[in-house]
Amino acid sequence: MAPIDVLKQVSEVVWEIPVSYKPGMIVPARIYGTEKLIQEMDDAVYDQITNVATLPGITKYALCMPDGHFGYGFPIGGVAAMDVDQGGVISPGGIGFDINCGMRLVTTNLTYQEVKPYIKQLVDKLYERVPAGVGSTGFVKLSRNQFREVVEQGAQWCVRNGYGWEEDLELMEEQGCLKGANAARISEKAIDRGVNQIGTLGSGNHYLEIQVAKRENIFDKKLAKTMGITHPDQVVVMFHCGSRGFGHQVATDYLQSFLKVMEPKYGIKILDRELACAPFHSPEGQAYFTAMKCGINMSFVNRQVILHRIREVFSQVFKRSPEDLGMHMVYDVAHNTAKLEQHIVDGKARSLLVHRKGATRAFGPGMSDLPDRYQEIGQPVIIGGSMETGSYLLTGVATGDQTFFSTAHGSGRTMSRTKARKTWRGETLQKEMQQRGIYVRSSSYSGLAEEAGGAYKDVDEVIEAAEIAGISQRVVRLTPIGNVKG
């Protein structure tokens, strides 16, 4: 029987796989998506999300967002909340190798007409100032001990050292620093891989994009204004990157550690070794949790330094200060994390470790850890589409409790990178995009081909599914006009 045949349609965009589907499932698996998205989803997603449903301590459901696709351990788009007081585990495969891969959105007070004559100059300078591609290194030079301090202090270190504004900190999850990070729990190899990478985009689906909020794409003017989108054809800057080789090494180190102790020491048997885990309250679980926080903080630092460089470039090109250009943050959202959060489950408050793997936190109005300016409207949610299509700014909503206040993080791949490289030629794609008004600089043509729009799901369909489900609300659609690609 094909996995899709066992799906029970719970609502227009929610589908459930019962615990009877696979031995060991503790909770049902729920997949979010329109019928079209569900039909297009690869079978591996069903296998992976039902494997997740067997993990100790999992609560309510194993969840997959509308952009879900095959990943390592969890599907990308996977969400699972573990009750840490009931033997709940922590799993690197539920967080990802690129710890705190995330999105940041920055406003300007410029319009498209003002920016259009300078778009090539802007993109070229950004390409120079924000290194992209495999193995790229940044301009911030640190000793190994300084790097240890940075990954414990997060973006607060950046602001103290002139790489940002005090107001930036308010507009990041966890104010740019997840407390309790312990650099003593990270390996020398992880430091080797991360110490020179602050301020770099990396490769894969990471990008830095200049975008426009067109009049017809502002769906809620009041919400948009609260988030700094105040006039039609306003230009903004969005970028997507993470913790680079540092986060990858942290995940690798602890996956190996967990595989050694999981069954012999804790009696935990799993269906997929990529879901290697340890009880959250175990010494190994706590060691990884504090090391993972270092990865989260490194990513906040990375994005903060990139923002500093973006402000420098715009200021240089337009010969005005970043403040005068209105280059304020809208928000910074994290993907690929596990955070301790309080959630109401069956009428009771429970302390849950919420794994979000390629999924965005989307807190509703009035929830703690939101900046004062967003208390009434909910958390800004930034969802990137492909470099050819567009991206979205949304907000969290009160009904998001069904997914532990989580939503999609992107449009989601439908094609492997290998197949994309065989389907498109990067050089041709670059020329075609320029003809359509999108100027692109990339560190490699093969990397550009991998990120062709046709390799991704329809971002509008993903956003529609999330909105119909009541897990986030769209506010503005943003159209690309310039792109730096890793």
Side-chain angles (χ1 to χ4, degrees):
M1 183 181 294
I4 197 168
D5 295 334
V6 302
L7 285 175
K8 172 189 174 185
Q9 189 167 6
V10 177
S11 70
E12 184 180 353
V13 291
V14 182
W15 311 73
E16 185 169 299
I17 304 175
V19 293
S20 58
Y21 173 72
K22 181 180 288 184
M25 285 179 66
I26 300 168
V27 296
R30 284 197 166 182
I31 302 175
Y32 285 71
T34 60
E35 188 166 352
K36 179 176 181 289
L37 289 172
I38 293 296
Q39 292 286 349
E40 293 174 349
M41 211 163 274
D42 48 295
D43 286 352
V45 170
Y46 301 105
D47 191 42
Q48 289 191 317
I49 200 62
T50 50
N51 286 344
V52 171
T54 69
L55 291 175
I58 189 166
T59 302
K60 205 71 178 175
Y61 304 106
L63 301 161
C64 184
M65 299 297 103
D67 55 338
H69 56 288
F70 177 73
Y72 183 97
F74 278 46
I76 296 168
V79 177
M82 312 303 185
D83 190 325
V84 297
D85 297 321
Q86 299 294 326
V89 295
I90 185 169
S91 173
I95 295 156
F97 285 97
D98 193 2
I99 297 169
N100 188 8
C101 175
M103 311 285 298
R104 186 172 292 204
L105 183 63
V106 185
T107 62
T108 75
N109 53 27
L110 300 164
T111 64
Y112 174 59
Q113 289 303 317
E114 292 173 300
V115 169
K116 186 179 178 181
Y118 300 97
I119 192 67
K120 186 176 185 298
Q121 186 181 358
L122 284 166
V123 171
D124 288 346
K125 284 186 177 295
L126 288 168
Y127 183 76
E128 292 171 9
R129 298 285 184 88
V130 183
V134 177
S136 53
T137 58
F139 77 100
V140 178
K141 303 304 178 186
L142 301 171
S143 69
R144 298 173 74 84
N145 283 337
Q146 286 173 321
F147 183 77
R148 290 184 177 93
E149 293 175 6
V150 166
V151 299
E152 288 186 346
Q153 297 171 18
Q156 295 166 11
W157 177 90
C158 295
V159 172
R160 285 198 302 272
N161 285 275
Y163 300 118
W165 307 341
E166 192 69 35
E167 69 175 57
D168 295 339
L169 298 176
E170 180 195 1
L171 297 168
M172 305 180 208
E173 283 190 34
E174 312 296 338
Q175 294 73 56
C177 177
L178 199 57
K179 294 178 176 59
N182 184 359
R185 297 298 188 180
I186 58 180
S187 68
E188 292 300 315
K189 188 172 182 180
I191 293 174
D192 288 340
R193 295 186 66 182
V195 68
N196 294 316
Q197 292 193 321
I198 289 173
T200 63
L201 272 182
S203 58
N205 62 344
H206 294 160
Y207 63 84
L208 191 171
E209 197 164 78
I210 301 172
Q211 304 170 333
V212 178
K214 296 181 179 180
R215 181 187 300 272
E216 63 270 23
N217 291 335
I218 300 175
F219 306 110
D220 190 311
K221 291 181 180 178
K222 183 177 179 181
L223 291 178
K225 185 176 181 180
T226 301
M227 291 188 278
I229 310 296
T230 57
H231 53 275
D233 293 336
Q234 184 174 344
V235 169
V236 298
V237 184
M238 177 185 291
F239 56 102
H240 176 213
C241 62
S243 50
R244 306 285 280 110
F246 176 69
H248 196 286
Q249 191 61 46
V250 169
T252 300
D253 291 340
Y254 281 92
L255 274 166
Q256 294 170 353
S257 168
F258 287 0
L259 284 168
K260 292 174 184 175
V261 301
M262 184 173 49
E263 189 171 352
K265 188 173 180 180
Y266 298 110
I268 298 173
K269 295 182 180 181
I270 54 174
L271 299 180
D272 179 359
R273 70 193 310 273
E274 293 181 358
L275 290 175
C277 57
F280 177 72
H281 287 304
S282 69
E284 295 85 359
Q286 284 298 295
Y288 172 59
F289 190 50
T290 57
M292 182 206 66
K293 289 179 179 181
C294 292
I296 287 176
N297 291 343
M298 191 282 192
S299 195
F300 283 137
V301 169
N302 192 26
R303 291 198 289 275
Q304 186 61 38
V305 171
I306 290 174
L307 171 58
H308 175 73
R309 298 298 256 182
I310 292 168
R311 284 170 170 159
E312 284 183 340
V313 166
F314 270 75
S315 181
Q316 183 179 349
V317 170
F318 290 100
K319 297 178 172 52
R320 293 162 58 189
S321 71
E323 291 86 351
D324 189 45
L325 289 167
M327 299 195 74
H328 300 283
M329 278 181 56
V330 176
Y331 205 59
D332 179 297
V333 297
H335 315 142
N336 294 7
T337 62
K339 293 183 181 179
L340 271 179
E341 298 171 1
Q342 294 291 315
H343 290 275
I344 305 297
V345 179
D346 299 328
K348 295 181 180 179
R350 293 166 71 174
S351 182
L352 304 176
L353 184 72
V354 183
H355 293 67
R356 296 185 178 97
K357 161 76 170 293
T360 307
R361 191 189 75 173
F363 280 180
M367 295 188 67
S368 61
D369 197 39
L370 289 183
D372 290 343
R373 71 183 73 180
Y374 297 140
Q375 280 292 322
E376 290 187 9
I377 69 167
Q379 178 198 307
V381 174
I382 305 161
I383 295 183
S386 78
M387 62 186 179
E388 293 190 68
T389 53
S391 301
Y392 276 86
L393 176 62
L394 307 89
T395 58
V397 290
T399 50
D401 57 346
Q402 61 186 293
T403 58
F404 306 101
F405 294 99
S406 308
T407 191
H409 88 304
S411 47
R413 293 194 74 90
T414 59
M415 185 185 293
S416 71
R417 297 185 185 281
T418 301
K419 187 174 180 182
R421 286 196 303 271
K422 293 178 179 177
T423 306
W424 291 277
R425 290 188 67 241
E427 192 171 5
T428 303
L429 183 61
Q430 184 183 48
K431 291 176 182 176
E432 290 174 349
M433 289 177 65
Q434 189 161 351
Q435 289 171 357
R436 298 200 305 271
I438 308 170
Y439 178 66
V440 183
R441 289 291 304 272
S442 176
S443 60
S444 78
Y445 284 130
S446 62
L448 193 64
E450 290 176 1
E451 297 303 310
Y456 283 84
K457 299 180 185 184
D458 181 344
V459 68
D460 299 319
E461 186 107 1
V462 169
I463 299 302
E464 181 185 15
E467 190 165 53
I468 293 171
I471 57 176
S472 50
Q473 175 185 352
R474 64 180 178 165
V475 178
V476 181
R477 191 184 195 280
L478 301 162
T479 303
I481 56 172
N483 186 294
V484 175
K485 186 73 207 61

